[in-house]
Amino acid sequence: DTGVSQDPRHKITKRGQNVTFRCDPISEHNRLYWYRQTLGQGPEFLTYFQNEAQLEKSRLLSDRFSAERPKGSFSTLEIQRTEQGDSAMYLCASSTPGVEQYFGPGTRLTVT
Amino acid sequence: RKEVEQDPGPFNVPEGATVAFNCTYSNSASQSFFWYRQDCRKEPKLLMSVYSSGNEDGRFTAQLNRASQYISLLIRDSKLSDSATYLCVVNIFITGNQFYFGTGTSLTVIP
């Protein structure tokens, strides 16, 4: 399968714990995006990479959130000291410049 | 003010019906436009890009009106398999390269 992959697909964690998600984009795509989606809402932009450079971060991305794409291939999104309000679907998407995005299946986070 | 506004619906239509969704965007600098389809608890999938001249793909037609800043999606001869949430997306280059999603419009096609 050459699409966008995300791991894990589901994560249940206790409040205060740290979690890390991984995204593997389509191999020839140099742009990678992270989104958060809650029930009844569209995806909300969190951050965006072009190759290994993190070019934009949303105001939604508090200092508890950090994302990396060290070699311009896969990316990780870490949430520190999780809160119940962090419960959501975290979606990764990739694209080439000026072209539509392709999404991974998402990581569903539940913070108890 | 949200960058993209959509009527959340739900739209419940019988099989074979024609249904239209509209979406408005607030930033006149928006440059690329898309419709995505999202099934329940699945990721969004690209349905079609929207071009200034309008475009058609089988039973689906997308239109862009830059003057009024709205995008439309028309689905003809609705099928049960069209039941999903349809997300309107705009891409604004001037503010960076963010993609803004609407909240989605829910469609249920009834037998």
Side-chain angles (χ1 to χ4, degrees), chain B residues 9-110:
Chain B
F11 285 68
N12 299 314
V13 302
E15 266 186 295
T18 296
V19 61
F21 306 138
N22 289 328
C23 162
T24 58
Y25 59 93
S26 61
N27 194 326
S28 59
S30 301
Q31 293 183 271
S32 300
F33 309 89
F34 308 92
W35 283 101
Y36 278 73
R37 170 195 168 124
Q38 187 170 27
D39 293 293
C40 187
R41 302 181 76 85
K42 299 284 190 179
E43 74 272 22
K45 293 189 176 178
L46 178 70
L47 180 65
M48 57 199 305
S49 302
V50 187
Y51 305 121
S52 295
S53 55
N55 47 304
E56 187 173 310
D57 182 2
R59 299 180 294 107
F60 299 85
T61 301
Q63 297 278 354
L64 167 63
N65 184 318
R66 285 190 182 273
S68 300
Q69 295 183 198
Y70 81 78
I71 308 154
S72 65
L73 177 68
L74 183 76
I75 306 175
R76 291 180 299 277
D77 189 22
S78 300
K79 311 291 185 191
L80 296 177
S81 57
D82 294 334
S83 298
T85 296
Y86 291 84
L87 296 160
C88 173
V89 186
V90 304
N91 181 213
I92 305 173
F93 295 165
I94 289 180
T95 59
N97 191 43
Q98 290 194 28
F99 287 76
Y100 294 92
F101 285 74
T103 55
T105 299
S106 174
L107 171 67
T108 300
V109 180
I110 304 165

Side-chain angles (χ1 to χ4, degrees), chain A residues 53-111:
Chain A
Q54 187 174 19
L55 297 186
E56 287 184 58
K57 291 169 61 173
S58 165
R59 293 187 307 273
L60 293 174
L61 211 66
S62 76
D63 57 6
R64 297 185 297 105
F65 287 70
S66 62
E68 294 183 340
R69 195 183 183 196
K71 298 182 179 179
S73 55
F74 74 91
S75 175
T76 57
L77 177 69
E78 181 182 17
I79 308 174
Q80 295 182 326
R81 305 181 302 281
T82 51
E83 301 173 356
Q84 287 188 320
D86 296 332
S87 295
M89 175 75 88
Y90 289 84
L91 292 161
C92 174
S94 69
S95 76
T96 51
V99 184
E100 62 274 4
Q101 301 179 322
Y102 292 86
F103 283 84
T107 295
R108 186 170 296 279
L109 173 66
T110 302
V111 182

Side-chain angles (χ1 to χ4, degrees), chain A residues 3-72:
Chain A
V4 179
S5 62
Q6 291 187 246
D7 183 69
R9 296 289 303 277
H10 303 275
K11 179 71 177 178
I12 300 173
T13 191
K14 292 185 177 178
R15 189 177 56 188
Q17 298 295 305
N18 299 345
V19 294
T20 300
F21 310 142
R22 176 178 170 127
C23 171
D24 287 86
I26 294 171
S27 57
E28 60 267 28
H29 287 182
N30 64 349
R31 291 185 173 175
L32 187 149
Y33 302 78
W34 285 99
Y35 293 87
R36 180 171 66 188
Q37 186 174 26
T38 54
L39 195 63
Q41 300 297 314
E44 294 177 297
F45 171 81
L46 292 178
T47 190
Y48 143 63
F49 291 84
Q50 179 155 308
N51 300 313
E52 65 276 9
Q54 187 174 19
L55 297 186
E56 287 184 58
K57 291 169 61 173
S58 165
R59 293 187 307 273
L60 293 174
L61 211 66
S62 76
D63 57 6
R64 297 185 297 105
F65 287 70
S66 62
E68 294 183 340
R69 195 183 183 196
K71 298 182 179 179

